[in-house]
Amino acid sequence: MKLGRLNHIGVATPSIADSIAHYRDVMGATDISEPFDMPEQGVKVCFVNTPTSSGMDGTQIELIEPLDENSTIMGFLAKNPLGGQHHVCFEVPDIEIAREAFEDMGKRILGPTRIGAHGTPIFFLHPKDMQGMLTEIMETPKEGGHWSN
Ligand code: CO
């Protein structure tokens, strides 16, 4: 296992529109992507890009709103009606090597490796095996940049 950069913090929200207004008007964010649906996960997602001084991509806030009652984040929002920090996502150079390494360490992986919101392979690790944090592992985008449009 080789830890890469903190790609994003996943934040659940009952309203992406309200959260976008918050990050824009309260936090001063100037680079926020258009929301898009991920029907398989039952979520709508958008990215708030934080700036860096190095010219590299900054860590993102991934805003996640449920699309329907079956959404993967409905349980979280039931417990946290205001929304809040849902997961953290670290990059790795190779998703299969990382998956094997976590399996060898006895960490529980939640479901198959799949294509995540950034268009790159991801998987999730059980928070009880990860210091209480739902942890997403994402292969570093090949061009080194964020998926965006
Ligand atoms: Co994520």
Side-chain angles (χ1 to χ4, degrees):
M1 172 57 201
K2 187 173 188 305
L3 179 68
R5 83 189 182 93
L6 176 63
N7 181 279
H8 64 267
I9 297 170
V11 173
T13 173
S15 166
I16 274 193
D18 288 353
S19 291
I20 287 173
H22 169 82
Y23 279 96
R24 185 188 60 223
D25 300 337
V26 178
M27 299 299 288
T30 57
D31 185 359
I32 303 176
S33 80
E34 281 297 316
F36 59 97
D37 293 350
M38 297 189 69
E40 283 184 17
Q41 268 68 252
V43 294
K44 182 188 292 280
V45 172
C46 88
F47 302 113
V48 178
N49 293 301
T50 67
T52 63
S53 53
S54 65
M56 293 183 60
D57 287 331
T59 296
Q60 295 175 315
I61 302 294
E62 178 184 71
L63 297 172
I64 314 162
E65 178 192 288
L67 276 179
D68 56 47
E69 295 298 312
N70 301 319
S71 176
T72 50
I73 60 165
M74 280 310 288
F76 182 89
L77 282 174
K79 283 184 227 150
N80 306 276
L82 294 175
Q85 184 186 317
H86 178 260
H87 66 271
V88 292
C89 177
F90 296 102
E91 293 182 14
V92 295
D94 184 301
I95 198 80
E96 289 309 324
I97 289 172
R99 189 176 174 109
E100 271 182 40
F102 284 115
E103 277 172 355
D104 289 347
M105 289 184 278
K107 304 299 185 189
R108 281 167 285 181
I109 297 174
L110 302 170
T113 301
R114 59 182 182 271
I115 299 300
H118 294 73
T120 62
I122 62 109
F123 60 83
F124 282 91
L125 291 154
H126 199 296
K128 288 194 174 153
D129 294 343
M130 297 300 289
Q131 306 278 301
M133 290 201 301
L134 178 59
T135 303
E136 180 181 358
I137 300 295
M138 167 182 156
E139 190 163 283
T140 301
K142 288 294 180 264
E143 66 280 17
H146 283 302
W147 182 94
S148 62
N149 78 28

